[in-house]
Structures are given as structure tokens and as C-alpha cells.
Amino acid sequence: MLDAYTITILSLMGIWSIVALGLNVITGYAGQFNLGIGVYMGTGAYTTAMLTTAAGFSFWEALPLAVAAAALMGFITGLPALRVREDSLAVLTIGMVFVFESLLVYLPYFGGPLGIGRIARVSFGGDAVGKEGYLLIILAALALTIAATLYLKRAWIGLAWESVRENELATSVIGIHPARFKLYAFTIGAAFAGLGGVLYAHFTRYVTPYDFGFLPSIYVLAMVVLGGLGTIRGAVFGACFLTLLPELFRFVQDYRNLIYGMALVLLMLYEPRGLLGDGSFVWRHAKAAATRLRALLWHGRQYAANP
Amino acid sequence: MLQTRNLTRRFAGLTAVGGVDLDVAAGEIFGVIGPNGAGKTTFFNLLSGVFPCTAGEILFKGQPIHRLPPHRIARLGIGRTFQIVRPFGDLSVIENVLAGLGARFCTGVLPALGSHHRKRHRDAARALLARTALAPYEAEIARNLPLGLLRRLEIARALGLQPDLLLLDESFSGLSHKEAASLVELVRELRRDGMTILLIEHNMQITMQLCDRLAVLDRGEKIAEGTPEEIRRNKRVIEAYLGQEAHA
Amino acid sequence: MNATVLGQQLVNALALGSVYAMIAVGLAMIYGVLRILHIAHAGIYTAGAYLGLLAFRETGNLVIALIVAMTAAALLGALIERFIYRPMLARPRIVALIASIGLFICLSDLFRILAGPHQLAFDVPELAGRYTAGGITVSGIDLVILGGTAAIFVALWFVIRKTSMGFAIRAVAQDVETAKTMGIDVDRSVSRVFMIGSAIAAFGGVAVAILYNAVYTTMGDMIGYKGLALIVIGGFGSISGAVLAAFLLGFAETALTTYMDLPLSREGIAMLMLVLLILIRPQGLLGKA
């Protein structure tokens, strides 16, 4: 089958895709700046870590609880977010992720700066699931997340989110309560990020506060923005790309921040909608190519029918 | 249909709207005019709940609405457009209109999870597009549309909740002669279908031909009210406008 | 606690507050004219420290080093405004925010690559002297910080209130369109704001580097994020609010870390203040509602 290294990369790509999709709901669909997705991912990760190590829960038992905890955290952090406008919101979320990381380091229950280790392996039907099996679990979760976000986008809630994002005042005068939908976005986005956190915790089997701080949150934001804010394909592509990149090019690892930073700046200057965003260079040409291909196939069929 | 009593808004020491009493009957087309800075848009913002009022009250169909948030007022049956258009730029025309229908089809958590791609939703949206002559632009992205179409889009979106009262804030601004004429027709049609319309407008010609009655605001206060004919002859109104022109 | 300890803490708090104020002022001014959260400002602060150190090593003269650092920082700030932020003005706000974050991350790594990951010493023997009065001991660098801050603020006040350049800046911060109709060269004013803000940040960087005798690549991180917190706490668009918030934070940090044992790092304290304040008063201390 696949070798261990490939499995590791694919697993990480899957995990970060799920977190990125969560951020995409909050910042992409609903337009709420959130520079602290680490809070929700961390809540999911630490909850499952604590439940499975200290309280003897199994992965499957801890999973829904951890996701629910992350969703709750999303709701709680969403409440102050209602009171502030864009810029304050960005700074507020930065503040929240710092406080979160700080509390994890300083409060005794969370294992301090060393975090929680020796997190249980996942077992299914009595046997420990191997790396390949876990990859399947991750991919299943990813498929679920993609399906869910796709569904939400096509539902009224998705339309309400996009309206709030585009123009909050206009949204309120057509009878939609912006605050209610912002809270939905925070809660649901946080749940997905929390799911990613749970999978992360049982993958690395070791979590520290620094895994979920400001910089990791910015990395996720970079993933979503790189791929295309507000699109599912963008979030997944960005996550996969930025997970793969340091592996493909070792030197990228050494100059990681320099390259990421520069890439973000260049991207914002020349392709702010992301590489796969609507209207981006790549996406437009991809769509044009697809249209031409379809026309070709259709004409081909026509031709075959009437030579 | 709509009554305001002593409606006042003070902000940072300025009285933007001061003690305005108004009575709009059902089925009327009522115009609110006045020189620049007279407080007309602030007045609309008070009516639609965007600003809280400092004093006074607003009664809609007999119910006080001045303490309600904008989305509740909208659901009670007041729709509005904005002086500077506020379309949902990234969304298509039909999606803009669908958003306007959102509150109608989606009144709780569960309905919010229903798809907006169902036929009856799309048909309802298309009906509104047809009514506002926007059908050919259905799939266009809103930010690419010219102003004239955007103004009609805002109206189409506002109609989603089937309002009894429609507030049009300078909807004729920046329109060509032809566009304005077709919009006048639309407004008249809406009134024929039973809607009450309150409009702010700078274009005197349109105001005079469209409105049944007018109120004139100057520096936040109502200085005159009556039929277009009466207003045209009103000395105070002329002075207020001339005062503006002297500075123009 | 006796008066001398209190006095000592007062000096520490003032020095800390001054440093925060230097960062916050630039951030507030830049936000005032461009409505952009210039997170990369902290990178300028760090650049100032490195450049100051370099210049000091070459010339042995602190004054020259400061001038070099501040001038170079001003230039850097102007370049950033011209080539990165200006093209983004028409775009949605999140674009500039992300670009600023990217720029900051990039700059931080650049310092690591150019100057090495290790901490460098910034030793200025002339300032090592300690002066005692009324039981309170103040080091030379404390005096430089406090004196420099005061001088900078006086100069800034003068420029903003009494010069035409300052008037232009205030007009642009108030309303760009109106400023244009008044014939003000908006681009030039914005550029100047960046230069002034960056120079002040560089001063702060050099001062802190000497104070702790350390220049390192991540020295800007916490200052940067705290700076953001400060302009929110102070109220967006209010320079005096930012300065007030800066000193409040300096005092709060000094007091809380000395007398209480909160489960928070110093950064956590700033951020907690931020979160609490936003909840209670979203428009900030001196911001407009």
C-alpha cells in the first residue's frame, strides 16, 4: 500500500483541510475576520486529550463531546464578536487566541507548556487502528465536512451568511438578523475546527498549547486565503498545498515564514481572491478549459451521431 | 398606515430630526423632500430602525415600532432602499432577490437548513425579477451592474418580504431619463397592487408627478405638508430651497 | 510597601508605558489615515533595533546610531506604504490585513536569516550609569527612554497641531474626500505618517534593545500584538487614546506581575484587558461611538 511517509502527509493534509473548512465558514462565508481559529481547534484537541487520558474515554466516546466543546467555544467567542466591527474583531480574535494559549500554559489542569502526551490510539471494534486505518477515518471526516459545508452553502443559512458578509445593514432591512447568523457561523465553523483538532490530537498523540496559538491560526488563514476565501475547493487546496510545500522543498522548511509571508503579500497584491477563488487567473482558465472540453465532447458526440 | 409623533433624533449636539409629525395613509405615494442635509435619510433610518430615536414615537399599522431592531421592522412589513445602493456585490442578481425572500421562507433554525435551490423558491425570485424587469440579468454578478439596474435590484430585494410600506431613498438618483420613467411606472404599479410608498427624492419633476402628498423637511423640522400644488406655492419652502441655492 | 519600592515601580511602569506608547502612536496614526491595521509595524520596530545596533557598532556613537535607525525605518515605512498598501486601497479590508500579517511574518524571518537566530547584545556603556535620587535608582537608559518619549511627544504634538503638514494629516484622517477637495496631497500625507510612525517605532526598538541589552528576531512579536490591542483599547483613530492605553498597560503589567500571580503571561494580561474592554466599551476608551 502506501508508505508511512505518504500516509503521514495525507493525514496532515486531511486534518488541516478540515480546520481550514471550519475557518472558511466563519471568515469565508460569513465574512467574520477570525485570526484565532486555534482556539477552536485547541479546544477540540485538548478536550479529547483530557477525556481519553485522564477520564478513560475512548476516541469514539470523546469525539462528539470534544466537537461539542469546540462548538460551545465558538458560540462563547462569537458573543463578544457581535459587539464589534471588522477591525476590532480581527484584533479581538488575536487577543482571544493569545489568552487561550496563555491559559493553557499557566493553568495546571492542562499540563502546562509541555501539554498532554501519550494520547490513546484509536481503536475500532476492539483492535487498534493502524496509520492507514486512521487515514481512512480522517478522509471520512473530511468527506463529511465537505458535504456538510457544501450543503450549508446551498441552504438558506449559507445565503444569509453571504448577505451578512456582503452588507450587514442591507441584510437587516430585509428581515434577516445578522447577529443570529454570525453566531451560527462561529458555532458551526468552530465545530469543524474542533473536529480537526480531535483528529490532530490522536494523530500526533501529543498536544501542546503552542500548537494552537496565533501563528498556527495564521497558517490556517493563509491556507484559506491562498486557495480562495469563501470556497470549499480553496480551503482544501490551500491546506493541502501549504502542508505539502515544506515537504516537497526542504529549503522551504528553513525559510518557511519568509516564503509564506512573501507569498501572502504577493497574493494579496495580485490575486487577492486566492488561486482558486472565483475570478482568479487559475480558476477562470480552468473554467474556460472545462467549457471548451465540454463543447468538444458535445460536438464530438454530435459528429459521431451525424457523420 | 404610518404615523410619527414628535420624532426626534439628536446626535453629538446636533438635532438631525426634530419633532416631526407625519401621517401617511394606506395606498398613498408620499414624498419627503427638502434641501440637502435636511435630515431626510436620517428620518428613513429612524423609520427602519437603523438609528434609535431620541424622542417621539413611530406607529406602523397602529403598532409602535420605534424600539424595534431593523430586522423585526422589516418583518412587520416595511421595506427600504438606500441612497447609496447596498447590493450584495459578490452574489448574482437572483441570489440577491432570494436573500430578500429569505426571511419569508426561513423563520427558524430548521427552515434555515433548507435548500434555497428548490423550484418554488427560484420561481418566487424569478417572479420578482420579472416584476422589476430584471429577468434578463438573473445570473449577472451584482457588482458588475450599472446603477440603474442596481436601484431596481434593491427594490426587487425589498419586495421579497411583501412589504405594506416601501421606503425609497433617492431611488431615482443617477438614472437616465428612460430608466427613471420606467421606474416611475414600477412605483405606480406597486401602488396599484396596494403598496404604500414613502419616497425621498431630489428630482422635483418626478416628485411632483408621482406623489399624492409631500412633506418638506428643513434642518430636521417639517416646515410644510400638502399636495404638490400646495407645496409648490408655499413661501417657506421656496425660501428654504433658495437659501440652499444661494450657497450652491 | 514603602515609597522607594513604589517609586521604583513607577519608573519601571513609566518606561514600559513609554515603549508601548511609541509603538501605539505609529499604529494609531496609520490607522487614522488609512484604516489599516499595520501589524507589520512591529517589524519596523525590530528593524530599528537591528539597524541601530549596526550603526552603533560602526560608529560607536549612539546619537548617530539613532538617527540612522530612525531614518532607515522611515524609509522602510514609506516603501511599504507605497508598494504594498497603496495598491490595496480599493480592495476589501481583509486584503490589507492579511498582507500586513504576511509582511510581518516575512520580515521576522528576514531578520533571522540576515542577522542569525541568536540574540545580540546592545551594550552602551555610557548609559549604564545609575543615578539615585530620593531612594529611587534610575539607569541612564531609563532616562533616555523617558526623556526621549517626552521629547518625541512634544515634537509630535507640535507637528500635528501647529504645522501645515500636521493639518493635512488630520484632514486626511478625518475624511479623505474632503481633504482632496481642499487640495491636500493625500498620498504625500499618508507617506509622511508612515515615515513619522516608523521613525518613532525605531526609536522604541533601539531604546528597548539597550534597556534589556538584547536584540533578537522575535522581539517585535509581543510588542506588535500588544500594539494592536492598544489601539483597540484606546479607541480606533484616537492617538491620545492609544497613548493613554499604552501607559495604562505599562502600569497594569508592572503592578500585576509584581503583586499578583495570574495564570497569564504578560501578553495574556494585555490581551485579557483587551477582551474585557471590548466587552464593556466596544468603542475603546477615547474612541467615538
Side-chain angles (χ1 to χ4, degrees):
Chain A
M1 274 288 296
L2 300 164
D3 64 292
Y5 180 66
T6 312
I7 293 180
T8 302
I9 298 296
L10 289 176
S11 303
L12 283 172
M13 282 174 20
I15 290 171
W16 289 111
S17 294
I18 295 175
V19 181
L21 284 169
L23 182 59
N24 190 44
V25 168
I26 302 175
T27 302
Y29 289 165
Q32 303 303 297
F33 287 6
N34 194 319
L35 276 54
I37 194 79
V39 174
Y40 316 127
M41 189 182 178
T43 302
Y46 264 81
T47 306
T48 187
M50 293 192 298
L51 287 178
T52 53
T53 50
F57 280 60
S58 76
F59 168 79
W60 302 102
E61 290 164 346
L63 178 64
L65 291 173
V67 172
L72 183 64
M73 190 60 97
F75 181 79
I76 294 173
T77 55
L79 289 173
L82 296 178
R83 304 194 54 179
V84 298
R85 35 177 245 258
E86 293 196 319
D87 302 320
S88 305
L89 184 57
V91 180
L92 180 68
T93 52
I94 294 177
M96 293 201 285
V97 75
F98 271 112
V99 173
F100 180 74
E101 185 190 69
S102 212
L103 289 174
L104 286 179
V105 170
Y106 286 93
L107 288 176
Y109 331 106
F110 301 116
L114 291 178
I116 300 178
R118 293 154 60 80
I119 298 175
R121 282 189 189 284
V122 175
S123 42
F124 189 72
D127 301 313
V129 165
K131 283 213 180 281
E132 286 160 343
Y134 197 59
L135 177 60
L136 286 177
I137 294 178
I138 292 175
L139 291 177
L142 178 61
L144 190 74
T145 307
I146 292 178
T149 20
L150 200 60
Y151 183 79
L152 288 171
K153 179 152 200 206
R154 292 176 61 91
W156 287 106
I157 191 173
L159 190 58
W161 282 336
E162 296 196 299
S163 306
V164 170
R165 178 191 72 207
E166 291 299 304
N167 202 303
E168 202 174 313
L169 185 56
T171 306
S172 62
V173 302
I174 56 176
I176 296 175
H177 191 177
R180 192 156 75 107
F181 285 90
K182 285 186 194 177
L183 280 178
Y184 288 158
F186 269 90
T187 310
I188 295 175
F192 289 133
L195 175 62
V198 170
L199 294 169
Y200 179 84
H202 289 273
F203 175 76
T204 57
R205 302 180 61 213
Y206 182 56
V207 290
T208 74
Y210 310 106
D211 294 333
F212 312 113
F214 178 64
L215 218 50
S217 302
I218 293 302
Y219 286 158
V220 178
L221 183 66
M223 292 172 190
V224 181
V225 169
L226 178 90
L229 192 62
T231 65
I232 293 175
R233 57 183 188 267
V236 175
F237 171 76
C240 294
F241 186 74
L242 286 183
T243 307
L244 198 57
L245 202 64
E247 303 300 322
L248 283 183
F249 305 103
R250 274 287 139 183
F251 80 91
V252 172
Q253 188 73 280
D254 299 331
Y255 297 92
R256 186 178 196 183
N257 287 351
L258 182 71
I259 294 180
Y260 279 24
M262 218 150 52
L264 278 181
V265 175
L266 290 173
L267 206 63
M268 290 299 102
L269 278 172
Y270 297 113
E271 196 72 275
R273 301 192 138 250
L275 291 178
L276 295 186
D278 297 322
S280 78
F281 180 81
V282 174
W283 189 241
R284 268 183 296 133
H285 285 235
K287 282 217 290 201
T291 313
R292 253 177 280 142
L293 194 64
R294 238 178 295 152
L296 197 71
L297 291 172
W298 192 78
H299 284 301
R301 219 181 299 157
Q302 284 256 293
Y303 191 71
N306 318 302
Chain B
M1 168 85 27
L2 180 78
Q3 285 155 313
T4 73
R5 297 213 204 303
N6 192 32
L7 194 57
T8 307
R9 174 154 172 87
R10 273 186 280 273
F11 185 71
L14 275 153
T15 304
V17 173
V20 174
D21 292 328
L22 209 65
D23 234 296
V24 181
E28 268 195 310
I29 298 182
F30 194 98
V32 176
I33 61 176
N36 278 329
K40 309 188 291 288
T41 297
T42 309
F43 182 65
F44 265 24
N45 282 336
L46 289 170
L47 292 180
S48 47
V50 175
F51 289 161
C53 59
T54 320
E57 52 174 16
I58 307 171
L59 296 167
F60 179 61
K61 297 196 272 198
Q63 236 189 314
I65 60 167
H66 48 282
R67 297 221 184 286
L68 296 179
H71 63 277
R72 297 254 269 128
I73 292 180
R75 284 182 186 240
L76 286 174
I78 299 184
R80 77 166 284 182
T81 66
F82 293 95
Q83 185 174 14
I84 302 175
V85 272
R86 290 169 169 262
F88 299 138
D90 242 15
L91 304 182
S92 67
V93 164
I94 192 169
E95 282 173 330
N96 268 264
V97 176
L98 274 171
L101 290 165
R104 205 206 297 183
F105 288 121
C106 162
T107 44
V109 180
L110 233 39
L113 294 174
S115 168
H116 59 69
H117 285 262
R118 301 225 179 94
K119 188 161 187 303
R120 60 189 176 107
H121 302 148
R122 297 262 143 175
D123 286 344
R126 293 204 171 97
L128 284 174
L129 287 177
R131 201 169 178 199
T132 48
L134 286 170
Y137 308 100
E138 184 182 299
E140 290 286 325
I141 301 295
R143 73 157 48 88
N144 296 330
L145 292 184
L147 183 61
L149 292 179
L150 283 178
R151 292 214 181 275
R152 273 198 267 157
L153 180 58
E154 268 209 332
I155 294 178
R157 188 176 64 186
L159 292 177
L161 274 177
Q162 296 169 314
D164 296 309
L165 173 65
L166 188 59
L167 306 175
L168 297 177
D169 195 345
E170 306 243 10
S171 286
F172 292 91
S173 275
L175 295 187
S176 72
H177 209 59
K178 219 171 67 148
E179 288 169 331
S182 71
L183 198 55
V184 166
E185 256 323 292
L186 176 61
V187 173
R188 287 202 172 117
E189 248 181 62
L190 291 173
R191 190 258 288 271
R192 271 200 294 275
D193 293 335
M195 203 170 293
T196 309
I197 296 172
L198 197 57
L199 55 86
I200 291 175
E201 194 42 57
H202 264 121
N203 185 319
M204 275 304 140
Q205 208 188 12
I206 290 182
T207 316
M208 293 299 171
Q209 75 177 176
L210 201 47
C211 300
D212 301 322
R213 285 199 300 144
L214 297 174
V216 185
L217 295 182
D218 184 28
R219 278 178 275 219
E221 297 192 346
K222 187 176 80 171
I223 60 172
E225 187 180 337
T227 65
E229 264 312 300
E230 292 166 358
I231 296 298
R232 210 195 306 245
R233 284 181 270 127
N234 185 306
K235 271 208 163 61
R236 266 192 86 185
V237 173
I238 297 173
E239 267 171 26
Y241 271 99
L242 274 182
Q244 273 281 301
E245 270 164 44
H247 292 158
Chain C
M1 61 202 99
N2 56 50
T4 44
V5 175
L6 202 59
Q8 195 64 57
Q9 296 294 48
L10 192 69
V11 172
N12 292 344
L14 277 176
L16 190 59
S18 300
V19 174
Y20 288 155
M22 286 205 230
I23 300 285
V25 155
L27 275 176
M29 286 174 74
I30 289 172
Y31 185 83
V33 293
L34 276 192
R35 305 282 184 270
I36 285 180
L37 285 174
H38 180 37
I39 293 176
H41 195 54
I44 308 268
Y45 164 86
T46 310
Y50 273 103
L51 291 167
L53 179 63
L54 196 70
F56 185 69
R57 281 191 184 166
E58 292 297 310
T59 65
N61 183 322
L62 184 61
V63 175
I64 295 183
L66 270 173
I67 294 176
V68 169
M70 289 170 78
T71 315
L75 211 66
L76 185 59
L79 286 174
I80 290 175
E81 184 271 325
R82 174 68 186 80
F83 293 108
I84 296 182
Y85 291 139
R86 204 182 293 180
M88 292 182 188
L89 289 180
R91 309 261 193 195
R93 309 285 293 296
I94 194 170
V95 173
L97 183 66
I98 294 176
S100 196
I101 294 174
L103 182 62
F104 181 46
I105 295 179
C106 179
L107 279 175
S108 298
D109 222 23
L110 195 66
F111 298 141
R112 182 184 62 90
I113 293 167
L114 290 178
H118 306 293
Q119 191 169 294
L120 302 171
F122 200 145
D123 202 5
V124 183
E126 297 85 67
L127 293 180
R130 310 183 87 74
Y131 310 89
T132 315
I136 303 175
T137 307
V138 175
S139 70
I141 183 60
D142 283 327
L143 286 175
V144 168
I145 292 179
L146 294 175
T149 308
I152 286 179
F153 284 157
V154 166
L156 194 64
W157 178 87
F158 183 78
V159 166
I160 297 279
R161 290 274 148 193
K162 301 281 185 194
T163 66
S164 58
M165 172 165 68
F167 176 76
I169 290 174
R170 272 187 292 144
V172 173
Q174 184 90 287
D175 191 316
V176 178
E177 291 309 319
T178 312
K180 276 192 211 164
T181 58
M182 282 162 61
I184 291 176
D185 186 343
V186 172
D187 286 338
R188 199 153 57 131
S189 293
V190 171
S191 194
R192 283 175 176 163
V193 166
F194 267 82
M195 292 201 285
I196 295 174
S198 303
I200 297 179
F203 179 87
V206 173
V208 169
I210 299 177
L211 180 65
Y212 295 116
N213 194 7
V215 178
Y216 53 103
T217 63
T218 54
M219 65 188 279
D221 285 7
M222 286 330 303
I223 280 268
Y225 309 138
K226 283 183 197 176
L228 290 181
L230 288 173
I231 58 170
V232 178
I233 293 172
F236 282 110
S238 171
I239 297 178
S240 27
V243 172
L244 178 64
F247 280 103
L248 278 177
L249 182 64
F251 278 87
E253 257 185 48
T254 312
L256 288 173
T257 47
T258 317
Y259 299 115
M260 279 208 260
D261 217 359
L262 289 177
L264 286 173
S265 58
R266 301 181 64 173
E267 296 69 54
I269 292 174
M271 295 308 176
L272 191 63
M273 262 178 75
L274 165 71
V275 174
L276 289 176
L277 187 103
I278 287 190
L279 294 182
I280 302 169
R281 201 181 148 83
Q283 70 267 35
L285 291 172
L286 297 182
K288 306 155 206 113

